[in-house]
PDB file of all heavy atoms in Angstrom:
ATOM      1  N   ALA A  73      87.991 141.231  -3.108  1.00 88.00           N
ATOM      2  CA  ALA A  73      88.793 141.500  -1.909  1.00 88.00           C
ATOM      3  C   ALA A  73      87.996 142.308  -0.890  1.00 88.00           C
ATOM      4  O   ALA A  73      88.085 142.062   0.318  1.00 88.00           O
ATOM      5  CB  ALA A  73      90.068 142.239  -2.290  1.00 88.00           C
ATOM      6  N   ALA A  74      87.185 143.244  -1.363  1.00 88.00           N
ATOM      7  CA  ALA A  74      86.365 144.029  -0.442  1.00 88.00           C
ATOM      8  C   ALA A  74      85.307 143.154   0.239  1.00 88.00           C
ATOM      9  O   ALA A  74      85.058 143.307   1.444  1.00 88.00           O
ATOM     10  CB  ALA A  74      85.698 145.179  -1.188  1.00 88.00           C
ATOM     11  N   VAL A  75      84.722 142.233  -0.506  1.00 89.00           N
ATOM     12  CA  VAL A  75      83.742 141.311   0.088  1.00 89.00           C
ATOM     13  C   VAL A  75      84.427 140.406   1.113  1.00 89.00           C
ATOM     14  O   VAL A  75      83.882 140.145   2.194  1.00 89.00           O
ATOM     15  CB  VAL A  75      83.034 140.493  -1.014  1.00 89.00           C
ATOM     16  CG1 VAL A  75      82.237 139.353  -0.425  1.00 89.00           C
ATOM     17  CG2 VAL A  75      82.140 141.396  -1.828  1.00 89.00           C
ATOM     18  N   ALA A  76      85.631 139.931   0.793  1.00 88.00           N
ATOM     19  CA  ALA A  76      86.365 139.090   1.735  1.00 88.00           C
ATOM     20  C   ALA A  76      86.687 139.852   3.019  1.00 88.00           C
ATOM     21  O   ALA A  76      86.605 139.296   4.120  1.00 88.00           O
ATOM     22  CB  ALA A  76      87.654 138.584   1.095  1.00 88.00           C
ATOM     23  N   LEU A  77      87.026 141.120   2.894  1.00 89.00           N
ATOM     24  CA  LEU A  77      87.293 141.921   4.092  1.00 89.00           C
ATOM     25  C   LEU A  77      86.031 142.143   4.920  1.00 89.00           C
ATOM     26  O   LEU A  77      86.085 142.142   6.154  1.00 89.00           O
ATOM     27  CB  LEU A  77      87.909 143.264   3.708  1.00 89.00           C
ATOM     28  CG  LEU A  77      89.363 143.215   3.269  1.00 89.00           C
ATOM     29  CD1 LEU A  77      89.820 144.599   2.845  1.00 89.00           C
ATOM     30  CD2 LEU A  77      90.229 142.681   4.377  1.00 89.00           C
ATOM     31  N   CYS A  78      84.899 142.325   4.268  1.00 91.00           N
ATOM     32  CA  CYS A  78      83.635 142.478   5.000  1.00 91.00           C
ATOM     33  C   CYS A  78      83.278 141.201   5.748  1.00 91.00           C
ATOM     34  O   CYS A  78      82.860 141.253   6.911  1.00 91.00           O
ATOM     35  CB  CYS A  78      82.515 142.865   4.048  1.00 91.00           C
ATOM     36  SG  CYS A  78      82.669 144.521   3.383  1.00 91.00           S
ATOM     37  N   ILE A  79      83.445 140.063   5.107  1.00 88.00           N
ATOM     38  CA  ILE A  79      83.152 138.793   5.769  1.00 88.00           C
ATOM     39  C   ILE A  79      84.124 138.544   6.912  1.00 88.00           C
ATOM     40  O   ILE A  79      83.733 138.082   7.988  1.00 88.00           O
ATOM     41  CB  ILE A  79      83.169 137.646   4.738  1.00 88.00           C
ATOM     42  CG1 ILE A  79      81.998 137.798   3.776  1.00 88.00           C
ATOM     43  CG2 ILE A  79      83.112 136.288   5.425  1.00 88.00           C
ATOM     44  CD1 ILE A  79      82.023 136.841   2.614  1.00 88.00           C
ATOM     45  N   ALA A  80      85.398 138.877   6.719  1.00 87.00           N
ATOM     46  CA  ALA A  80      86.387 138.719   7.791  1.00 87.00           C
ATOM     47  C   ALA A  80      86.055 139.618   8.975  1.00 87.00           C
ATOM     48  O   ALA A  80      86.157 139.203  10.135  1.00 87.00           O
ATOM     49  CB  ALA A  80      87.784 139.029   7.262  1.00 87.00           C
ATOM     50  N   GLY A  81      85.650 140.847   8.697  1.00 87.00           N
ATOM     51  CA  GLY A  81      85.260 141.750   9.780  1.00 87.00           C
ATOM     52  C   GLY A  81      84.044 141.250  10.532  1.00 87.00           C
ATOM     53  O   GLY A  81      83.971 141.360  11.763  1.00 87.00           O
ATOM     54  N   LEU A  82      83.091 140.688   9.811  1.00 87.00           N
ATOM     55  CA  LEU A  82      81.914 140.113  10.455  1.00 87.00           C
ATOM     56  C   LEU A  82      82.287 138.938  11.342  1.00 87.00           C
ATOM     57  O   LEU A  82      81.787 138.793  12.464  1.00 87.00           O
ATOM     58  CB  LEU A  82      80.896 139.687   9.393  1.00 87.00           C
ATOM     59  CG  LEU A  82      79.606 139.071   9.900  1.00 87.00           C
ATOM     60  CD1 LEU A  82      78.802 140.109  10.666  1.00 87.00           C
ATOM     61  CD2 LEU A  82      78.811 138.516   8.746  1.00 87.00           C
ATOM     62  N   MET A  83      83.205 138.096  10.866  1.00 83.00           N
ATOM     63  CA  MET A  83      83.653 136.962  11.681  1.00 83.00           C
ATOM     64  C   MET A  83      84.362 137.420  12.945  1.00 83.00           C
ATOM     65  O   MET A  83      84.152 136.867  14.023  1.00 83.00           O
ATOM     66  CB  MET A  83      84.579 136.052  10.860  1.00 83.00           C
ATOM     67  CG  MET A  83      83.870 135.221   9.836  1.00 83.00           C
ATOM     68  SD  MET A  83      82.517 134.247  10.498  1.00 83.00           S
ATOM     69  CE  MET A  83      83.310 133.344  11.781  1.00 83.00           C
ATOM     70  N   PHE A  84      85.222 138.429  12.826  1.00 83.00           N
ATOM     71  CA  PHE A  84      85.896 138.945  14.008  1.00 83.00           C
ATOM     72  C   PHE A  84      84.902 139.543  15.001  1.00 83.00           C
ATOM     73  O   PHE A  84      85.025 139.356  16.204  1.00 83.00           O
ATOM     74  CB  PHE A  84      86.959 139.976  13.631  1.00 83.00           C
ATOM     75  CG  PHE A  84      88.249 139.369  13.191  1.00 83.00           C
ATOM     76  CD1 PHE A  84      88.669 139.486  11.883  1.00 83.00           C
ATOM     77  CD2 PHE A  84      89.049 138.674  14.080  1.00 83.00           C
ATOM     78  CE1 PHE A  84      89.856 138.925  11.469  1.00 83.00           C
ATOM     79  CE2 PHE A  84      90.241 138.110  13.673  1.00 83.00           C
ATOM     80  CZ  PHE A  84      90.654 138.236  12.362  1.00 83.00           C
TER      81      PHE A  84
END
Side-chain angles (χ1 to χ4, degrees):
V75 168
L77 286 177
C78 291
I79 292 172
L82 180 66
M83 286 306 305
F84 279 112

